[in-house]
Amino acid sequence: DVKVTQSSRYLVKRTGEKVFLECVQDMDHENMFWYRQDPGLGLRLIYFSYDVKMKEKGDIPEGYSVSREKKERFSLILESASTNQTSMYLCASSLVNPDTQYFGPGTRLTVL
Amino acid sequence: AQRVTQPEKLLSVFKGAPVELKCNYSYSGSPELFWYVQYSRQRLQLLLRHISRESIKGFTADLNKGETSFHLKKPFAQEEDSAMYYCALKVGSARQLTFGSGTQLTVLP
């Protein structure tokens, strides 16, 4: 079974703080993804990575950065958290073909 | 740019009734379409893909290129079908999917 784990289920941060969300997968997948899930807006891609040290912007990269130093780990960084970044963050991984993505449990981030 | 539209945010049906979750896409080439599902307190997961032409948990979806649609259908809804459903699109050799805004399906007893 593919396992995608995220470092926290719930996180509360203050405006201006630097926030790290970590995602680890154990199936040697090439692709990893970070999404935001918001009611009415669905799933929006923030960034994805198809290889170590490689990254590509998704639909809403502003205010975020990512890091992939090892194949199994993909980090999402909020350099200076803002209240409009309060959301559910989902990490996913897949083989080269992105058809079947395996999702983590999500991190619900609240920025006060 | 490609786009996926799910016009219904919420959909309620009674148990045993037919259900159809609508999905329309905008893309001029040959798309690949998928349905993902998230049950309460569970992870988002792939339900089915158009290329497989399979029925999963009684659900089917047919790609209609003329209408640019990929509606998800089930003839007799069950309470356990209550979930959030997302339609997703892959274009060409892209390494990512484009998801719609989702439809929350509630099957009433």
Side-chain angles (χ1 to χ4, degrees), chain B residues 12-81:
Chain B
S12 294
V13 299
F14 285 101
K15 178 182 171 182
V19 62
E20 179 179 73
L21 291 88
K22 291 185 167 46
C23 172
N24 290 90
Y25 65 91
S26 61
Y27 177 59
S28 55
S30 286
E32 289 185 50
L33 276 296
F34 310 86
W35 278 99
Y36 275 74
V37 62
Q38 187 171 27
Y39 301 101
S40 180
R41 296 190 181 85
Q42 293 188 30
R43 301 178 185 214
L44 191 61
Q45 59 186 297
L46 177 66
L47 179 63
L48 57 77
R49 66 191 80 196
H50 92 267
I51 205 163
S52 302
R53 302 185 67 82
E54 57 197 346
S55 172
I56 303 291
K57 300 186 179 184
F59 284 99
T60 58
D62 291 317
L63 178 60
N64 185 324
K65 290 187 179 179
E67 295 184 359
T68 59
S69 69
F70 187 57
H71 302 329
L72 184 67
K73 300 176 185 179
K74 186 169 182 176
F76 307 102
Q78 302 300 314
E79 289 181 69
E80 55 266 30
D81 297 327

Side-chain angles (χ1 to χ4, degrees), chain A residues 3-4 30-31 33 35 37 40-43 45 48 50 90 96-101 103-105, chain B residues 9 32 34 36 38 42-46 49 51 84 86 90 94-102:
Chain A
K3 209 55 182 296
V4 179
E30 285 78 10
N31 296 338
F33 309 85
Y35 296 91
Q37 184 181 36
L41 297 176
L43 220 53
L45 182 64
F48 70 100
Y50 53 88
L90 296 182
V96 171
N97 188 334
D99 296 8
T100 305
Q101 296 187 18
F103 284 82
Chain B
K9 285 188 171 56
E32 289 185 50
F34 310 86
Y36 275 74
Q38 187 171 27
Q42 293 188 30
R43 301 178 185 214
L44 191 61
Q45 59 186 297
L46 177 66
R49 66 191 80 196
I51 205 163
M84 176 68 86
Y86 291 97
K90 187 178 86 167
R95 283 183 175 249
Q96 75 269 31
L97 302 179
T98 299
F99 285 85
S101 55

